Amino acid sequence: MTTGLHPGEAPQDPRPTGNQTLPRQERIGPGTPHSDNRTRSSVITARAAATFDPVGRSVATARSFVRDTLQGWGFADIVDDAVVLTSELVTNAVIHAGTSADVLCLRSDDGVRIEVADRYPEREIPLQGSPVNMGSPDREGGRGLQLCAALAGRWGVEYTPTQKQVWFQLELPHRAVGTRSAGPSLPADLLPLADGRVRVAVIQIDRAGSIAAWNEDSEELFGYAPESVIGKPLTDLAAWPHTPGTSTGIVEALQLSRWEGSYGIRGANGRVTAVYASHLRVRDTDGEPSTVCLLVRDHERAVLQTPLRGSSSDSTSSSDGPNTDPFEVFIGSPAPDDLDGLLQRTVERARDMLDADSAFLLLATDDETELEVRASTGLPSARQRFARVPVEAGPGRYGSARMPAVHDDLSAVPGAVPLLSGTGMRSVVTVPLKVEGRLTGSLGVAAESPGRYTNEEALRLQFAADRIALAVESARLGELERLRRGSLSFLVEASDLLAGTLDRDQTLALMAQMTVPTLATWCAVYTIADQASDPYLSYVLHEDEDRIDGLKALLSKISPPDPVPTPGARVWSAPAEAAHQAALRTSMRSLGLNAPTTTVSSGIGTTLATAAAVGGETVVLPLVARNRVIGMLTLGKPTDEHFRQEILELAEDLSRRAALALDNARLYSERTAISQSLQRSLLPPELPEIDGVEVEVIYRAAGEGNEVGGDFYDLFPIRDGAYGFAIGDVCGTGPEAAAVTGLARHALRLLAREGFGGPAVLERLNSAILDEGARSRFLTLLYGELWPQEDGSAVLKVVCAGHPLPLRLRQDGTVEPAAEPQPLLGVLEDLELYEQTITLDPGDVLLCVTDGVTERREGTRMLGDDGLTDVLKTCTGLTAGAVAARIMRAVERFASDAPSDDMAILAMRVPGLQKN
C-alpha cells in the first residue's frame, strides 16, 4: 500500500482529461442519474491518498486508512458511514474486479469526498437515460452503489479507458459555528477538580520514538530538564499498563493517528506520575511524521478527555428502544476492544452514574479465592494495580464480594474493603460480577463523605454490573488466551536459550535478562554452593542500567531470603523496607538531622530513585534442581506496583527450567575442572634444556575440552649426559585412550631410569598393556635415547614399534627415514625388538610425528608421508621451533575441517651454520 497526505493543499485531479474522459454518472439523493457538469467549488483543505493491492486483507487496511484519516481531521460523526461505503467499493475493486484500488480522501469546508478507483472499466454501470437497476441487495457484489444511494448526499461514477471510479460525498452535520462538542453550564462545586495551575505537558516524539521536544510544564510535572531527556526513547520514561501479548503497547499507540488514554511517567525522583494523555500523529512540510503528546495529571483528565458518544445521564432511559444494546448503553459506543480499556471505561461510567469520588473493579482468580485489582479511578491506581485480596477468610478479607453491600461509614468497619484503606473514602457500595452463577469479579464505587449510598444505588449498580459481566468475562478469557500463547512462546524461547549454554555465568545472565523487563522491573539471582553454604548474591539486573549499582549495594547489605524449597512465589518485604530506611537516612542527612540507627549500613548510599525502584512488590521463587535448593530467583517492581497472578505463574515455570539449566551448568563446570586437572597430570612437566640440541613440541588433542588424548610425547633425563624421548599413539581418543597414555609415559620413565635399554623398555611396556585386559589398547611408539657429543653432533638409539618413521632433514635439504618399522605394542605377547643408532650432524633435524599429522584428510586427499616429506624439505636452516610451527601450519591448511585425530609433533635439531 502506498499513501500520501497533504494537509491544506488543493489536490491535482488524478483523472485523465480531454477526449479520454467518458461521461460521468452522478446521483443526488434519490433522483435518477443525470450528467454532472458541476465544478468543485469547495476549497480543498486536505487530501489523503492510498493504493491497495488486489488481496483480501487490503479491504481491512482501506477501512483503517479511511477511519484514521477522518478521525485525524476531526470528522468522527461521519466515520462510520464513510468506512462502510469504502469497504464495499474497495471490495468490488480488489475482490470482484481483481485489480488494485486507489482511494482518495478530500476534505473541504462543507464535507468529505472519497473516491475509489479500480482498473477494470469494462464492468457494467448504469448509463444515462437507461432504467436504473442496481440488482438485488442479496447478491454477493453490486451493493456498493446501493449503499452510496442510501448513505451519501452525493455520489457518482466515472470511467476512462484504463480505470473506473466511484465517488461519494458526505456532508457534515450542522453545528453551531466554532463548536465541536459542548456540555451544560454547571455550578462551580460540580466542576472537575484541578490544582491551582493546570499544567499540560507537551512532548513531541519523532519517527524513531525518541523525544524531540519537551516544554516547561513537562519539566515541572516530571522533574527532567529538556537536555536530559531529548533524544531518549519515550519508552524509557513511560510506565505503560501493558502485559506482553495483550492490548496495545506504547510503540503501537505512537503510530496511531489519534490515541487517548491513561498511563504513567517515571519522574526524576523515581516515582510514577499517573497521567491522562492525548496523542496526535502529524507530519511536517517535508513529510516527516511525528507524534504530539499532551499530558495532564490523571485526576485532571477532564482537561483533555474527549466526551463519550451517547448520553451519559440515566442509562435506563435509553434502554427502552427495541434495538438498544444494554451493554452499549452503559459502556458507550464504540466499546473498547481490549480488556484494560473496557475495565477502565466501566469504572469511569460507574463513578459517573452514582456521582461518586472513586470507583474500582476487581477480577477473580480461576479458583475464586482471590480478587485482583484491575482498574480504578479516583484512587492511586498504580499502587493498587494487580494487588490481590482474599475473598472469604483470613485477615484483610474482602467481606462483600459475593453479594451486593453498602457501607455507610468505613471508619466503623475497618478492613471491610481493603482496597480503600488509607484513601479517605468513607461510604462505598460494592456488587459482584457473576456469569452463570460463578463469581468473576467485583465492582464498587466510593465517596469521601459517609452515608452517601442506599440500597437503591446498590440495585442500580448491580443492574449495570449484570449488563457488563459477560462482556468482561469474555474479554478476560480472550486476554488469558493471548497471554498463554505469549507465555508458551516465551517459555519455548527461554528453554532454547538456556539449553544453548553450559556456562554458569552466562546462564545466570540469561535468567535475569529473560525476566527483565518482560516479567519484572528488576531481578536478583542468589546461588547456593552446597547445603552448608549461605545464599550468595550472584547477579543483579534492572531495566534502568543506572539503578543496577545502587540495587546491588542495597541487596548486598541485607540478609538474603531463606532457601525454602516450597514451590511458588512468596512475598519478600526486606528490600522495600531496607530501601525505605536508606532513603529516610539520606533525606535526614541532607536536612542536617541525625538519622535513626537502622539495620542498613549508612555506607549504602541508596538514593531516593533507587528506593523508589525497589519499593514495590518483591517475590522470591526457589530454584530447585534434583531435589535440592540451588538458589533463589528474586523479582521486584517499583514503588506501588504489584505482580499479576499470570505473571507469577509464568515466572514459576521459568524458574523450574532455569534451575535445571543452572544445575547442569554447575555439574558441567565441576566435571570439566576435574577432567582438565586429571588431563594436565598426564602431560609431562616442562621439557628439559639439552646443551647442544634444540627441542620443540606441538601437541593438539582432538575433541572439545580435551587437553590429553591418545597421542603423547615425553623428553626426560635418564642419567648424566643421556636423555630419553618418546612419541606415541594409543588407539582411539578421549579418556580411555588417555588412561593408556598415562600408563605408557610413566612406565617409560621408570624403566629407562632403571637402566633398561630401548628394546627391554618397550617389551616390558607391552606386557603391562596386555595385563590391562579388556581395557588395553594398541599402542604405536617411537622411543629413543639421545647423547649430545662434544663435536656438536648427537647420537641417537631408536626403536620404532609400529609408529610412523622419524624423518631426518640434512643440511643439503635431503629427507630420509631415520629408522625401520617394527611391530606395535599391545598385540603380541612375545616381541623381538631391536634398536638402531643414528648420528645427527650439525644442522640436521629429526622430525617425529603421530599419524594424526600424516593422515590429515581433505575429501579423498591425504597428506601422507610424501606430503610431510615435501613440507620438511622447505625447512632447511630453520630452528626446531620454526620447523614444528611450519609443519603444523601445513597440516591445518591442508583441510578446512577441524582435526578428528590427536596430533603430536616432536622436532629435534643439532645447531649448525645457518644457510643464507
Side-chain angles (χ1 to χ4, degrees), residues 509-637:
L510 283 173
M511 290 170 58
Q513 291 166 7
M514 285 185 293
T515 57
V516 177
T518 305
L519 305 182
T521 304
W522 63 269
C523 167
V525 183
Y526 292 84
T527 56
I528 303 174
D530 51 58
Q531 297 292 345
S533 301
D534 293 329
Y536 174 75
L537 183 61
S538 298
Y539 201 91
V540 176
L541 184 65
H542 193 283
E543 65 179 5
D544 184 353
E545 293 183 358
D546 295 337
R547 302 281 183 264
I548 294 178
D549 291 339
L551 177 60
K552 186 181 298 184
L554 176 69
L555 295 176
S556 64
K557 298 298 182 180
I558 62 177
S559 299
D562 296 330
V564 179
T566 305
R570 69 181 192 276
V571 176
W572 185 33
S573 60
E577 295 172 356
H580 176 73
Q581 293 176 2
L584 178 62
R585 294 178 62 89
T586 301
S587 299
M588 296 187 69
R589 284 197 302 269
S590 65
L591 297 174
L593 302 176
N594 293 326
T597 302
T598 65
T599 58
V600 181
S601 170
S602 60
I604 291 181
T606 305
T607 64
L608 293 175
T610 301
V614 301
E617 187 176 38
T618 301
V619 296
V620 178
L621 298 105
L623 298 174
V624 181
R626 299 176 175 90
N627 298 320
R628 186 174 73 87
V629 180
I630 63 171
M632 285 87 70
L633 178 64
T634 304
L635 307 178
K637 287 282 190 178

Side-chain angles (χ1 to χ4, degrees), residues 95-111:
I95 302 298
H96 301 304
T99 75
S100 59
D102 299 328
V103 179
L104 175 65
C105 301
L106 302 174
R107 183 183 69 186
S108 63
D109 52 1
D110 58 352

Side-chain angles (χ1 to χ4, degrees), residues 712 730 739-749 765 769 779 781:
F712 68 95
V730 179
V740 179
T741 295
L743 170 66
R745 193 177 67 81
H746 290 97
L748 286 175
R749 288 196 171 211
L765 175 59
I769 294 174
L779 171 63
L781 179 63

Side-chain angles (χ1 to χ4, degrees), residues 5 13 119 124 140 171 255 314 321 332 345 365 389 400 409 447 491 514 614 648 666 683 703 712 808 814 816 830 833:
L5 179 63
D13 196 334
R119 292 169 174 79
E124 181 181 355
E140 175 64 21
E171 310 297 335
Q255 298 298 319
D314 186 2
R345 180 80 66 86
T365 56
V389 183
S400 53
D409 192 349
L491 290 173
M514 285 185 293
V614 301
L648 293 180
R666 177 188 63 83
L683 294 174
F712 68 95
R808 176 179 182 178
T814 58
E816 61 185 7
D830 296 326
L833 303 175

Side-chain angles (χ1 to χ4, degrees), residues 824-909:
L824 52 77
L825 308 181
V827 179
L828 303 176
E829 292 186 1
D830 296 326
L831 290 180
E832 294 183 2
L833 303 175
Y834 58 93
E835 61 184 10
Q836 297 173 269
T837 302
I838 59 174
T839 300
L840 294 181
D841 297 324
D844 287 356
V845 174
L846 184 69
L847 177 66
C848 309
V849 300
T850 57
D851 60 6
V853 174
T854 56
E855 295 180 2
R856 178 73 163 146
R857 294 180 180 274
E858 174 69 18
T860 58
R861 298 186 307 119
M862 185 173 71
L863 180 63
D865 295 334
D866 293 339
L868 181 63
T869 299
D870 293 338
V871 177
L872 184 59
K873 288 180 179 179
T874 67
C875 299
T876 303
L878 299 181
T879 63
V883 171
R886 179 169 292 187
I887 298 297
M888 179 55 70
R889 282 198 303 271
V891 172
E892 291 174 343
R893 293 173 180 173
F894 186 80
S896 57
D897 295 337
S900 58
D901 195 5
D902 305 326
M903 292 187 294
I905 299 174
L906 171 62
M908 294 183 290
R909 177 177 180 270

Side-chain angles (χ1 to χ4, degrees), residues 800-803 805 819-823 834 836:
C800 187
H803 198 77
L805 300 179
E820 296 177 354
Q822 300 184 59
Y834 58 93
Q836 297 173 269

Side-chain angles (χ1 to χ4, degrees), residues 491-503 506-507 510-511 514 654 657-662 664-665 668:
L491 290 173
V492 169
E493 182 178 358
S495 299
D496 288 343
L497 290 173
L498 291 171
T501 178
L502 288 172
D503 182 83
Q506 190 174 0
T507 302
L510 283 173
M511 290 170 58
M514 285 185 293
L654 175 65
R657 289 167 165 79
L660 187 59
L662 184 62
N664 288 340
Y668 178 79

